């Protein structure tokens, strides 16, 4: 195996024996084989569109299967075997229909014709189709090919989130196929740079769809104080990202004497009017995904894992349930929004023995909430009460160096405001930074899925000050871990955002030449120390 798609990659530039995330060589090879076959399916889908054939099942499957290959989503080889069977079925059916419509009768691309052999473990066959095989021999082009692939995985995740709530765009699916099939084309370095930025452009569209999906279904988030303690009694903990799963679980647990808590990126659920109205939806337990083994082991109830960010369950494996794209061998997978199994497990477990008060945190500062007080923010900036805004956001992780973000926020001057989103905030989400004229100095915008909100806030403020986003008193200090973060970073580059500070390390898949392009055109830079970076930003 070879994998370097996340920030946690091994010390030799990638994971070669076992993923730091816990992905074993079998799953890694199955993911590589699935990705290869999706490239072949994409070639047929592109030909289909040329001949008036658009297949929504093919489109949705492409997004779902790509999402399954994202870091910390699915570790279950059986589920990948099902994906492999399905991609071949869809490809062969679409191939016949395209041929009947006047399209090609045959194809030269190997992935269009490959059917995994029976009798030979698919993981062995997948080893032939890894990241270092069948990609450009030019290091810089291969770097951009992989950047496109990893970005598409992030786009696919956001697109699948939006689809669940009825928001889709055929142009997004068409671009996924375009990007996957592009590896077969003889593109110049300049063309690959353009395609990489196109990933960011399409991701912006997808994030807008997801924002519309979430707010359309559950209302615009409102500032909400969320308890960090717990109540006596039976309990269910929900982690991941999926709001629909949360809504359905809350409906199914009404009147049962079970308290529902959030974990990780589910924290912002407390700000949505259609979710917070349930009286048994109480508080937040724990911190970010990388701490779940300790936190889940101590939780005295059932645990529902939605979307992604799962780690290998330990002593609590009988208490954890998965749904959607997420999966792990030995953990029961629930389908079709039927959460009876997790409810029954919660009822069988002891729950919390007594109430506990551990304080609270604020969430719910999405773009609608922040822009509703834009006049106060603008006045505070003009008067000098607010000197600068810092967007300190992104994915958390387990590698050393991430304490930088805690120290950075602690050292931000008192006349500055910190905006945050995604699980990176758990490095400092419970810090009491006070307020400036009633405006909290720490504003939790939401999940990584809510990156669109941060962009909308920045664009609106730039409009109010009649300047560009890069001219605002705003600096972005980002942490990255997986492929959603790659997609968001590409969106920021597509928008022309300058001077982004990124850490704790830069992506391994960026060659020195590609990185230099980012430095030259966008002044992107690695984080250094909190003191040095604050001095460079504020002077």
């Amino acid at each position: 195996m070879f994998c370097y798609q996340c920030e946690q990659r091994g010390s030799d530039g990638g994971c070669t024996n076992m993923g730091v995330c816990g992905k074993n060589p079998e799953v890694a090879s199955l993911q590589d084989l699935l990705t290869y076959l999706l490239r072949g399916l994409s070639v047929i889908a592109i030909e289909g569109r040329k001949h008036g054939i658009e297949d929504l099942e093919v489109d949705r499957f492409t997004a779902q299967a790509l999402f399954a290959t994202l870091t910390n989503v699915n570790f279950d080889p059986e589920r990948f075997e099902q994906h492999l069977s399905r991609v071949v079925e869809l490809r062969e059916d679409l191939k016949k229909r395209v041929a009947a419509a006047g399209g090609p009768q045959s194809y030269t691309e190997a992935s269009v014709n490959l059917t995994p052999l029976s009798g030979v473990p698919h993981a062995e066959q997948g080893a032939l189709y890894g990241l270092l095989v069948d990609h450009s021999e030019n290091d810089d082009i291969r770097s951009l090919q992989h950047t496109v692939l990893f970005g598409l995985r992030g786009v696919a995740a956001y697109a699948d989130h939006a689809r669940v709530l009825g928001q889709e765009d055929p142009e997004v699916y068409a671009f996924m196929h375009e990007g996957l099939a592009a590896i077969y084309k003889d593109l110049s370095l300049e063309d690959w740079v353009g395609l990489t930025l196109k990933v960011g452009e399409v991701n912006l569209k997808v994030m807008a769809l997801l924002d519309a999906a979430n707010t359309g279904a559950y209302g615009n988030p409102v500032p909400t104080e969320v308890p960090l303690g717990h109540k006596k009694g039976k309990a269910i903990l929900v982690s991941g990202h999926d709001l629909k799963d949360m809504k359905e679980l809350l409906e199914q647990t009404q009147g049962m004497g079970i308290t529902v808590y959030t974990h990780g990126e589910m924290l912002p659920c407390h700000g949505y009017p259609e979710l917070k109205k349930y009286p048994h939806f109480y508080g937040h337990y724990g911190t970010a995904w990388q701490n779940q083994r300790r936190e889940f082991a101590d939780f005295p109830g059932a645990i529902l894992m939605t979307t992604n960010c799962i780690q290998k369950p330990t002593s609590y494996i009988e208490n954890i349930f998965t749904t959607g794209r997420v999966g792990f061998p030995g953990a029961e997978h629930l389908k079709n929004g039927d959460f009876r199994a997790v409810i029954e497990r919660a009822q069988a477990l002891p729950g919390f023995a007594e109430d506990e008060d551990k304080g609270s945190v604020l969430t719910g500062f999405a773009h609608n909430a922040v822009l509703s007080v834009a006049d106060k923010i603008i006045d505070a900036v003009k008067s000098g009460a607010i000197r600068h805004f810092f967007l300190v956001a992104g994915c958390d992780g387990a590698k050393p160096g991430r304490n930088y973000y805690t120290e950075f926020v602690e050292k931000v001057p008192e006349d500055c405001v910190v905006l945050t989103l995604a699980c990176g905030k758990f490095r400092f989400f419970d810090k009491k930074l006070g307020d400036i004229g009633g405006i909290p100095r720490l504003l939790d915008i939401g999940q990584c899925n809510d990156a669109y909100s941060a962009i909308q806030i920045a664009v609106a403020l730039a409009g109010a000050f009649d300047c560009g986003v890069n001219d605002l008193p705003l600096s972005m200090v980002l942490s990255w871990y997986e492929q959603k973060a790659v997609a968001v970073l590409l969106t920021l580059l597509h928008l022309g955002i300058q001077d982004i500070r990124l850490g704790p390390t830069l992506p391994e898949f960026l060659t020195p030449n590609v990185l230099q392009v980012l430095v030259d055109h966008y002044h992107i830079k690695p984080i250094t120390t909190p003191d040095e970076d604050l001095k460079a930003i504020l002077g």
Side-chain angles (χ1 to χ4, degrees), residues 38-59:
L38 287 171
R39 287 164 51 192
L41 177 63
S42 296
V43 171
I44 310 299
I46 290 170
E47 288 296 331
R49 288 187 175 89
K50 292 178 183 177
H51 294 84
I53 299 173
E54 293 197 30
D55 191 316
L56 189 57
E57 186 174 7
V58 167
D59 293 344

Side-chain angles (χ1 to χ4, degrees), residues 275-297:
L275 300 178
K276 64 183 296 172
K277 69 182 183 182
Y278 292 89
H280 63 299
F281 184 32
Y282 177 64
H284 186 78
Y285 175 92
T287 52
W289 66 270
Q290 76 274 6
N291 300 319
Q292 66 187 252
R293 288 182 181 173
R294 169 175 49 81
E295 293 170 352
F296 287 4

Side-chain angles (χ1 to χ4, degrees), residues 311-322:
Q311 288 187 303
K312 180 180 180 179
T314 55
S315 60
Y316 54 86
I317 192 164
E318 293 184 353
N319 300 340
I320 194 167
F321 300 80
T322 63

Side-chain angles (χ1 to χ4, degrees), residues 47-82:
E47 288 296 331
R49 288 187 175 89
K50 292 178 183 177
H51 294 84
I53 299 173
E54 293 197 30
D55 191 316
L56 189 57
E57 186 174 7
V58 167
D59 293 344
R60 290 173 172 173
F61 175 82
T62 301
Q64 292 168 6
L66 265 184
F67 188 2
T69 66
L70 189 139
T71 302
N72 286 9
V73 175
N74 189 6
F75 295 82
D76 190 344
E78 289 186 13
R79 300 264 299 282
F80 281 109
E81 293 286 359
Q82 294 167 13

Side-chain angles (χ1 to χ4, degrees), residues 423-439:
C423 62
K425 66 172 162 275
F426 290 109
R427 293 281 168 173
F428 50 80
F429 79 126
D430 55 353
K431 302 293 180 184
K432 303 303 180 184
L433 302 185
D435 66 88
I436 299 175
I439 300 168

Side-chain angles (χ1 to χ4, degrees), residues 15 53 63 72 120 141 166 205-206 253 272 413 442 465 495 503 505:
C15 296
I53 299 173
N72 286 9
V120 179
I141 289 179
K205 181 181 295 186
V206 174
T253 50
Y272 286 90
L442 181 60
F465 287 107
L495 292 170
T505 61

